[in-house]
Amino acid sequence: MKDTGLHGVDAETRTVFRADCPSRPILDQIADKWSMMVMTLLERPTRFNELKRGLEGITQRVLTQTLRRLERNGMIQRTVLPTSPVGVEYSLTPLGESLREPFGLLYDWTVDHSGEIQDCQRVYDTRADAQPPAQ
């Protein structure tokens, strides 16, 4: 039996797939499309409605859940403003800010390769449409 460390990393293969690996729920959170889009919009402290306007298609419920998860994970900070009516703004924490560079690289890669990926999707879809259904 192979020896794996605390995070389920096999010393030989460097595979991290154990169900109890603590990185899995964190990766699930930061890989979520809404989380990354919210964090991208937080270049400065931003109010809820401004975030909602910047995320076409997100519901108020999903945005609220996303913000709560990001706050729970220490990625963003929620600040209640002493205004009337009471306002709330969100900002990145230092931990959330540390994701800006790696996410920027992923975003740039996505933009740079989106045409190629769409071409691959069209080719795949054409092939899948041409194949007879499996019996």
Side-chain angles (χ1 to χ4, degrees):
M1 185 162 142
K2 292 184 179 184
D3 181 38
T4 58
L6 172 67
H7 303 292
V9 178
D10 181 308
E12 290 181 54
T13 63
R14 309 292 299 162
T15 304
V16 183
F17 290 121
R18 281 187 32 192
D20 63 348
C21 178
S23 67
R24 286 179 74 163
I26 297 166
L27 287 170
D28 183 47
Q29 168 66 54
I30 62 175
D32 171 76
K33 72 177 178 180
W34 294 121
S35 295
M36 294 314 299
M37 289 182 200
V38 164
M39 292 178 63
T40 299
L41 291 177
L42 290 175
E43 294 178 0
R44 58 175 173 70
T46 307
R47 290 186 175 216
F48 183 93
N49 285 330
E50 187 178 351
L51 288 170
K52 189 166 184 329
R53 284 191 300 272
L55 296 166
E56 189 174 308
I58 195 168
T59 64
Q60 183 165 332
R61 180 177 168 268
V62 170
L63 179 55
T64 298
Q65 291 172 338
T66 300
L67 290 167
R68 285 181 182 159
R69 281 193 317 265
L70 288 169
E71 183 180 11
R72 181 174 183 260
N73 288 336
M75 302 294 168
I76 65 170
Q77 175 178 311
R78 179 181 184 269
T79 303
V80 178
L81 304 172
T83 57
S84 181
V86 173
V88 176
E89 66 183 15
Y90 298 89
S91 56
L92 290 177
T93 62
L95 184 60
E97 189 67 46
S98 72
L99 266 177
R100 191 173 289 286
E101 182 181 351
F103 176 67
L105 294 171
L106 177 60
Y107 178 79
D108 291 345
W109 181 91
T110 303
V111 170
D112 291 346
H113 293 87
S114 61
E116 182 180 352
I117 292 168
Q118 289 171 335
D119 291 343
C120 291
Q121 291 169 342
R122 281 189 285 277
V123 168
Y124 178 91
D125 293 345
T126 301
R127 267 195 337 254
D129 290 343
Q131 292 179 358
Q135 293 183 9

